[in-house]
């Protein structure tokens, strides 16, 4: 399973756009990139998933360069409720039964 | 989206006793479920993969005789912490896999169970 590296923490202010970059130099051809959000004492929540280029949904965008060795989660106009830990994971359904290995995550703190 | 529940949400038990945690997929069938443990201010650590109708696969360093996993149906997996000790106090989270369009994979996580061993 590809190892991921993210910043340990980030600070932002309400209304700003936040970009969290994740490095995954050893990503395999059939790996997808998935981001999860976790609030304290809750299970992680799926945010977005992508394979290449750009993916956008109602809460975030995911940018993946051509070499796929990194990815950037973009959160537009964050609010206080976006304060959470964000995890970048790399894996595939056919890879070791779909199990996911969590890295250290990025603790995002949004201030008023 | 798919919903995964856990019961109980929090439990306090005495050292030496056993505790069972249930994980249910409410609106989909999950042939595979995963169990994680999370200590304060740390990331999730995968403990084991639970497969319906077969023995669980444990990660290196996880004692299979201490953390008993049973996946008797497509919607229920249980984790039993046997002879619990204070160092087993942690946040236990389960997840169930959902496979869409063949290669895309995402997991749906339960809300977690806070175990405190006194």
């Amino acid at each position: 399973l590809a190892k991921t590296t993210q910043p340990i923490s980030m600070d932002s202010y309400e209304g700003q756009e936040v970009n969290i970059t994740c490095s995954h130099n050893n990503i395999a051809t059939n790996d997808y990139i998935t981001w999860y959000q976790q609030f304290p004492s809750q299970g992680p929540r799926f945010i977005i998933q992508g394979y290449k280029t750009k993916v956008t949904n109602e809460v975030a965008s995911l940018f993946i360069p051509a070499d796929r060795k990194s990815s950037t989660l973009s959160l537009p106009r964050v609010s206080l409720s976006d304060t959470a830990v964000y995890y970048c994971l790399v894996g595939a359904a056919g890879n070791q039964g779909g199990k996911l290995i969590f890295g250290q995550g990025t603790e995002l703190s949004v201030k008023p | 989206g798919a919903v995964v529940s856990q019961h109980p949400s929090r439990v306090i038990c005495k050292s030496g006793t056993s505790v069972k945690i249930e994980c249910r997929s409410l609106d989909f069938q999950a042939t595979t479920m995963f169990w994680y443990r999370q200590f304060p201010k740390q990331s999730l650590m995968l403990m084991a993969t639970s497969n319906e109708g077969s023995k669980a696969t444990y990660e290196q360093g996880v004692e299979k005789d201490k953390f008993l996993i049973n996946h008797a149906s497509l919607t229920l997996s249980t984790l039993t912490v046997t002879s619990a000790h204070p160092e087993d106090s942690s946040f236990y989270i389960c997840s169930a896999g959902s496979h869409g369009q063949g290669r895309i994979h995402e997991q749906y996580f339960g809300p977690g169970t806070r175990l405190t061993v006194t």
Side-chain angles (χ1 to χ4, degrees), chain B residues 35 48-50 56 58 64 67-71 77-80:
Chain B
W35 286 95
T49 302
S50 170
Y58 291 83
K64 62 179 181 180
F67 299 99
L68 302 179
I69 293 173
N70 183 277
H71 194 156
S77 176
T78 61
L79 168 68
T80 301

Side-chain angles (χ1 to χ4, degrees), chain A residues 32 34 36 38 41-46 49 51 87 92-93 96-105 107, chain B residues 32 34 36 38 41-44 46 49 59 91 93 99 102-112 114:
Chain A
Y32 280 75
T34 311
Y36 288 87
Q38 187 184 26
S41 296
Q42 294 187 28
R45 183 178 73 101
F46 172 86
Q49 183 180 77
Y51 183 79
Y87 294 98
Q96 298 193 39
K99 71 178 183 181
L100 300 174
I101 303 299
F102 283 77
Q104 62 185 11
E107 186 170 10
Chain B
T32 303
F34 303 89
Y36 298 82
Q38 186 175 34
K41 295 293 186 181
Q42 293 187 23
S43 182
L44 285 78
L46 179 66
T49 302
E59 295 298 305
F91 192 54
I93 307 170
H99 303 265
R103 294 178 298 165
I104 296 175
H105 173 83
E106 67 185 60
Q107 289 186 20
Y108 297 96
F109 288 82
R114 175 76 59 191

Side-chain angles (χ1 to χ4, degrees), chain B residues 13 22 48 54 65 90:
Chain B
C13 71
E22 293 185 348
S54 64
D65 295 329
S90 187

Side-chain angles (χ1 to χ4, degrees), chain A residues 56-112:
Chain A
T56 298
N57 62 22
E58 62 274 11
V59 297
S61 293
L62 179 59
F63 299 92
I64 305 169
D67 65 7
R68 303 201 327 123
K69 293 183 182 299
S70 67
S71 60
T72 299
L73 173 71
S74 181
L75 304 173
R77 298 180 299 280
V78 295
S79 63
L80 296 177
S81 62
D82 292 317
T83 294
V85 178
Y86 293 82
Y87 294 98
C88 160
L89 291 92
V90 173
N95 183 8
Q96 298 193 39
K99 71 178 183 181
L100 300 174
I101 303 299
F102 283 77
Q104 62 185 11
T106 297
E107 186 170 10
L108 173 65
S109 177
V110 180
K111 302 174 182 178

